[in-house]
Amino acid sequence: MAPFQFIERPTPFNTKLGKTLPIFAVTPAHIDTGLVDPIALDWARKSGYKAEAGSLLLVPTEDGHLGGALFGLGAYPSESPYLTGKLPRILPAGEWHIETAPLTANRLALGYGLGSYRFERYKSGSSNPPTLLIPSDADAARVKRLLAGVFLARDLINTPANDMGPDALEAAFRALAAHYHAEVLVVRGEALLQENFPLIHAVGRASEQAPRLLKMRWGKKGHKRVTLVGKGVTFDTGGLDIKPSSSMALMKKDMGGAANVLGLALMIMDAKLKIDLTVIVPVAENSISGNAFRPGDIYRSRAGLTVQIDNTDAEGRLILADALALADEDEPDLLIDMATLTGAARVALGPDVPPYFTDDEELAHQLMESSLEVDDPIWRLPLYKGYEKDVTAKIADLTNAPAGGMAGAITAALFLKRFVKKTRSWAHFDIYAWTQTERPHCPGGGEAQAIRAIFDMLDGKGRAD
């Protein structure tokens, strides 16, 4: 069964054995010592080619036709393990294969695949990208699985809010579940109040498309119980505490937590991991109308804790609170939530390194180990108890927006922690879900963050990536 793809796209790989052009991935040492194809080496030396990281030199045949290419890895290829992601954007159209490269086959193929991503749903015409013969010693199924999960997350995030509102996100959720024969439960609109999801209802009730809670169940009972929760705010105006236009421009990505959770779920289900998986996505559009929730309002959450609304632009933690409370009721072995939650996380670590929070030392170690192993950067920040006082309110149990503006990522995590009581192990990821500056394996736009690391930790078989 092929992995689900939200938007159909040409495969970046050529799987047919035939005439393909060679790519010699080389370091400066290969040129200096002559450890490369003689014809390519002669052309490189005549051209003064230095094999700088990411550089490409096309090699002609004697009759002037294209005969292959040299691709520079720089002096320290281990520092850019997915540099081959640049190849799909600089190679001429055609079918290629890697002749030599001091990289593992999986990293070579995964880098190329990640860099091949193009979001062209709204572009006129069609492109003709190059394809790569996947190396025979690569784990092709694993590489394609990882790409499918990453591409799903990117596609969902990149799709603008007029085509990715609550209804469309539910449709994508259902399509993924149907592909892997997972069970789906949806609680929508006024039923949220009847089923005790008051915070999700409050945040999304001003939108023309009703707020909802999406739940998916897959796997067998008796296996490790893992629950994934993803923030699904399909667009965030800020509510009555409205954002300035500059801050609203990227708010189609405010469902990036949901997108990443779905990408991770795809990887888990496609790999048939021995996991009893639950996926929960609270979905809302934070809009403005006469019935929008207001600053100063107080709502009782699913967990019974009351929350004072001190800023309607801090809505993500509200819908997550009800979703986490639901997840916690099942007492899973592992609960992971992902959300585009705070600007403070970006100030602390920038857009490329998402922080994670957990009070489970073993889980923290496993996550960090997997992060380093598969080059999917994350960094642990503390659940510092000294800041717990900041999430309390004078006339309610909690505030959704602590005053002072300090340690915002930590106080948000501490707020969410109040709704996780029975779960054995929990981690919260505050992701950006966006690539501002294009990198070889990360084209600009929506991005999957931390899910390759989490999948590696859950799978435990990807150490050759």
Side-chain angles (χ1 to χ4, degrees), residues 163-185:
D163 285 330
M164 187 47 61
D167 291 344
L169 185 53
E170 179 184 335
F173 187 95
R174 287 183 179 276
L176 179 64
H179 188 84
Y180 292 104
H181 307 291
E183 299 174 1
V184 171
L185 171 69

Side-chain angles (χ1 to χ4, degrees), residues 259-274:
N260 273 268
V261 158
L262 292 181
L264 176 56
L266 183 154
M267 297 175 186
I268 291 169
M269 294 187 291
D270 195 74
K272 298 181 176 63
L273 298 190
K274 292 182 178 180

Side-chain angles (χ1 to χ4, degrees), residues 73-296:
L73 299 174
Y76 306 100
S78 62
E79 293 182 358
S80 301
Y82 298 122
L83 188 63
T84 51
K86 194 172 181 180
L87 282 169
R89 301 196 289 279
I90 60 176
L91 280 175
E95 297 179 350
W96 299 81
H97 72 272
I98 300 286
E99 186 76 21
T100 58
L103 299 169
T104 67
N106 277 6
R107 285 187 187 270
L108 183 155
L110 183 60
Y112 186 94
L114 290 170
S116 74
Y117 176 85
R118 302 181 184 193
F119 186 72
E120 298 180 329
R121 178 173 175 176
Y122 300 92
K123 289 278 192 179
S124 301
S126 60
S127 58
N128 185 26
T131 58
L132 182 75
L133 180 66
I134 195 163
S136 59
D137 54 342
D139 185 342
R142 181 180 180 86
V143 170
K144 292 177 181 179
R145 178 179 303 127
L146 293 174
L147 291 179
V150 170
F151 285 9
L152 173 60
R154 289 174 175 176
D155 284 345
L156 291 170
I157 296 166
N158 282 326
T159 304
N162 60 312
D163 285 330
M164 187 47 61
D167 291 344
L169 185 53
E170 179 184 335
F173 187 95
R174 287 183 179 276
L176 179 64
H179 188 84
Y180 292 104
H181 307 291
E183 299 174 1
V184 171
L185 171 69
V186 176
V187 182
R188 185 187 299 107
E190 296 305 305
L192 289 166
L193 295 177
Q194 299 167 14
E195 299 296 328
N196 194 22
F197 298 104
L199 294 180
I200 299 174
H201 181 272
V203 171
R205 70 190 184 198
S207 172
E208 290 184 357
Q209 295 188 31
R212 63 206 70 188
L213 179 123
L214 311 177
K215 183 177 180 181
M216 181 192 306
R217 186 72 180 270
W218 175 90
K220 294 182 180 179
K221 291 184 178 181
H223 291 161
K224 181 178 181 178
R225 290 181 299 152
V226 175
T227 299
L228 308 176
V229 175
K231 173 187 169 184
V233 176
T234 58
F235 192 79
D236 182 19
T237 65
L240 293 175
D241 289 308
I242 190 168
K243 294 177 181 287
S245 58
S246 60
S247 298
M248 213 184 295
L250 281 181
M251 282 302 100
K252 69 175 185 179
K253 77 172 185 68
D254 214 18
M255 38 63 69
N260 273 268
V261 158
L262 292 181
L264 176 56
L266 183 154
M267 297 175 186
I268 291 169
M269 294 187 291
D270 195 74
K272 298 181 176 63
L273 298 190
K274 292 182 178 180
I275 283 175
D276 184 355
L277 177 68
T278 299
V279 181
I280 298 173
V281 175
V283 181
E285 183 178 2
N286 190 16
S287 299
I288 300 172
S289 73
N291 68 335
F293 73 124
R294 298 164 293 253

